[in-house]
Amino acid sequence: MLRKILIRSLPLALAVVTAFAQTTDQSKNVKEMQKQATRLDKSSNQGQETVFNSLSEQLNIPVDTLKAQQASTNFGPGQLFIANSLATASGKTFDQIAQEFNSGTGWGKIAKENNLNLGKVVSDLKRANKQVEENRAEQAQANGHASSAGNASEGAGSSSHGAANASQQGNSMGHGGGQAG
């Protein structure tokens, strides 16, 4: 008798354990996603154009569209990224996802209701943050903010020629193709 009860209870117990594990994973992903979104938001304080350009590349959405979405929702770049990622993955529009979020539904619940895995969104957000940092570093170097590090490596073949270039670039912004357009 006890054996029959245990055998019949086993699927239920496994279902509960599996559900708990999935909830724990979902919870970890939501926390990490929020952390990455906040990081992206903070990056925009140091240069919004760089962030929008990176998001545009990552999400394959024009910068003007992202700016219009931000204006209509007051979402930070992190939330824009999450909403667009969830919209793409679910087949819904950005506006539908934004409306769900603005009505009080959290990102985790939106993902769960649409059978989406937040792990991919978290990975994509991490990649977006890395891209923003790389773009910012490239832009700083192109603007001459990293002149000593960038110019030292450019003139490695000929130290006197490299020193002359470093001096010229320091005196005249972007001499020799230093500015990217």
Side-chain angles (χ1 to χ4, degrees):
M1 178 76 167
L2 180 62
R3 186 174 178 190
K4 285 183 180 180
I5 294 172
L6 286 174
I7 290 173
R8 289 183 182 170
S9 305
L10 187 59
L12 179 61
L14 288 174
V16 168
V17 169
T18 302
F20 178 75
Q22 289 174 345
T23 301
T24 302
D25 286 347
Q26 182 84 350
S27 184
K28 287 179 185 177
N29 283 333
V30 169
K31 287 179 184 176
E32 182 63 21
M33 184 177 64
Q34 293 293 5
K35 177 182 164 187
Q36 293 298 322
T38 300
R39 185 173 158 208
L40 194 57
D41 289 347
K42 287 181 181 178
S43 292
S44 73
N45 294 337
Q46 300 169 2
Q48 206 167 25
E49 279 305 310
T50 301
V51 173
F52 275 114
N53 288 332
S54 296
L55 291 181
S56 176
E57 287 177 36
Q58 185 90 19
L59 295 167
N60 199 27
I61 296 173
V63 170
D64 290 340
T65 301
L66 292 168
K67 287 180 178 181
Q69 290 173 342
Q70 185 181 42
S72 70
T73 61
N74 284 329
F75 283 180
Q79 290 178 319
L80 285 174
F81 189 94
I82 294 167
N84 277 296
S85 294
L86 293 176
T88 299
S90 68
K92 292 184 175 180
T93 66
F94 171 85
D95 291 334
Q96 289 171 315
I97 296 294
Q99 184 177 7
E100 287 180 45
F101 182 77
N102 285 333
S103 70
T105 307
W107 296 124
K109 188 170 182 181
I110 293 170
K112 186 175 182 179
E113 288 173 353
N114 289 284
N115 297 318
L116 302 175
N117 180 352
L118 286 180
K120 180 170 177 12
V121 176
V122 171
S123 296
D124 291 346
L125 260 171
K126 286 180 180 180
R127 192 173 319 117
N129 276 310
K130 184 177 180 182
Q131 185 68 43
V132 166
E133 290 169 8
E134 288 172 2
N135 288 353
R136 184 169 285 123
E138 288 173 11
Q139 187 176 22
Q141 190 171 8
N143 290 336
H145 294 255
S147 61
S148 53
N151 293 326
S153 64
E154 289 175 10
S158 166
S159 59
S160 62
H161 182 68
N165 280 345
S167 172
Q168 287 176 342
Q169 281 192 331
N171 294 330
S172 63
M173 290 290 287
H175 180 73
Q179 288 185 343

